[in-house]
């Protein structure tokens, strides 16, 4: 039976493509796409207090504190338009503690998750994808030199700004991020399997087949 497409978590290692799919799926279905990584990058670029706290740990590939990221997400969940239209959480939760904090935040708003879409792919593919990834310096849109090249080299298809490599997509930092994922985030797969919310998906596929599968799974 299809699962409701409102109020979802997209879970998976860096480079699995969950951000791109979350962005597309949210746009198609009018959901709010809440990417903690993108919000943190914007805070760093704007030099806010949050950005100053997050900058060094993000550059090293580590995780920002559970309290900081949960505060960002809770702020969104409290917005009536987010509650009404529904949301996709992309890159949150990333630890078991964040999952518990999320559960409390949802309860407070009278909300519940409908599914956790869990993407996976072999580490060698993830590293290839991460080191080939380029992002827009202004709007954050993601491209890939190999699998999703922009129409014009080095230029964003959406806003014509310059495409850059994220500082944390170098090989060394990408490897640490994968190690952090294995240790701190992968236990969420077991956790959400136990709660009956987990929907496993193949992260090796390209964007279109992934979107088609989601369209079948989510009503
Ligand atoms: P992402 O764009 O999801 O790959 O996130 C980029 C970086 O932002 C991560 O490597 C972390 O440093 C930080 N970050 C994003 N989401 C979280 C989260 N839920 N918990 C802790 N740190 C996060």
């Amino acid at each position: 039976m299809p699962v409701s497409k409102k109020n979802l978590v997209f879970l998976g290692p860096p480079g699995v493509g969950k951000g791109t799919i979350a962005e597309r799926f949210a746009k198609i279905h009018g959901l709010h796409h809440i990417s903690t990584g993108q919000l943190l990058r914007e805070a760093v670029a704007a030099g806010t207090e949050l950005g100053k706290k997050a900058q060094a740990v993000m550059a090293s590939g580590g995780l920002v504190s559970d309290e900081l990221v949960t505060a960002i997400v809770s702020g969104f969940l409290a917005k009536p338009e987010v509650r009404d239209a529904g949301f996709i959480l992309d890159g949150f939760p990333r630890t078991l503690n964040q999952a518990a904090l999320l559960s409390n935040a949802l309860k407070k708003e009278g909300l519940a998750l409908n599914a956790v879409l869990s993407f996976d792919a072999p580490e060698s593919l993830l590293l290839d994808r991460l080191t080939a990834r380029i992002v827009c310096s202004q709007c954050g849109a993601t491209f890939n030199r190999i699998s999703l090249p922009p129409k014009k080299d080095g230029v964003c298809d959406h806003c014509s700004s310059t495409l850059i490599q994220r500082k944390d997509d170098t090989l060394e930092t990408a490897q640490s991020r994968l190690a952090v994922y294995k240790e701190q985030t992968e236990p969420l797969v077991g956790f959400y399997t136990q709660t009956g919310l987990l929907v496993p998906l193949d992260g090796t596929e390209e964007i279109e087949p992934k979107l088609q599968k989601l369209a079948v799974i989510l009503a």
Side-chain angles (χ1 to χ4, degrees), residues 100-151:
L101 293 169
L102 171 62
S103 171
N104 291 340
L106 288 167
K107 256 187 219 137
K108 198 172 145 211
E109 302 297 341
L111 295 167
L113 293 177
N114 284 309
V116 174
L117 289 311
S118 170
F119 298 87
D120 205 5
E123 195 161 315
S124 56
L125 177 67
L126 298 172
L127 282 175
D128 285 348
R129 282 194 188 152
L130 287 170
T131 50
R133 179 157 73 178
I134 36 179
V135 296
C136 178
S137 52
Q138 288 305 313
C139 74
T142 301
F143 300 86
N144 188 289
R145 289 194 193 96
I146 302 158
S147 58
L148 188 64
K151 291 190 186 105

Side-chain angles (χ1 to χ4, degrees), residues 42-122:
E42 285 168 13
V44 171
T48 63
E49 277 310 305
L50 169 67
K52 283 181 199 148
K53 284 185 190 149
Q55 191 163 22
V57 65
M58 286 175 78
S60 73
L63 293 185
V64 175
S65 84
D66 289 346
E67 287 66 29
L68 274 185
V69 281
T70 306
I72 301 176
V73 172
S74 300
F76 275 92
L77 297 179
K79 292 185 182 184
E81 65 271 26
V82 174
R83 287 206 303 261
D84 290 348
F87 56 82
I88 297 178
L89 294 176
D90 163 16
F92 180 92
R94 248 172 159 106
T95 64
L96 286 169
N97 185 40
Q98 287 180 21
L101 293 169
L102 171 62
S103 171
N104 291 340
L106 288 167
K107 256 187 219 137
K108 198 172 145 211
E109 302 297 341
L111 295 167
L113 293 177
N114 284 309
V116 174
L117 289 311
S118 170
F119 298 87
D120 205 5

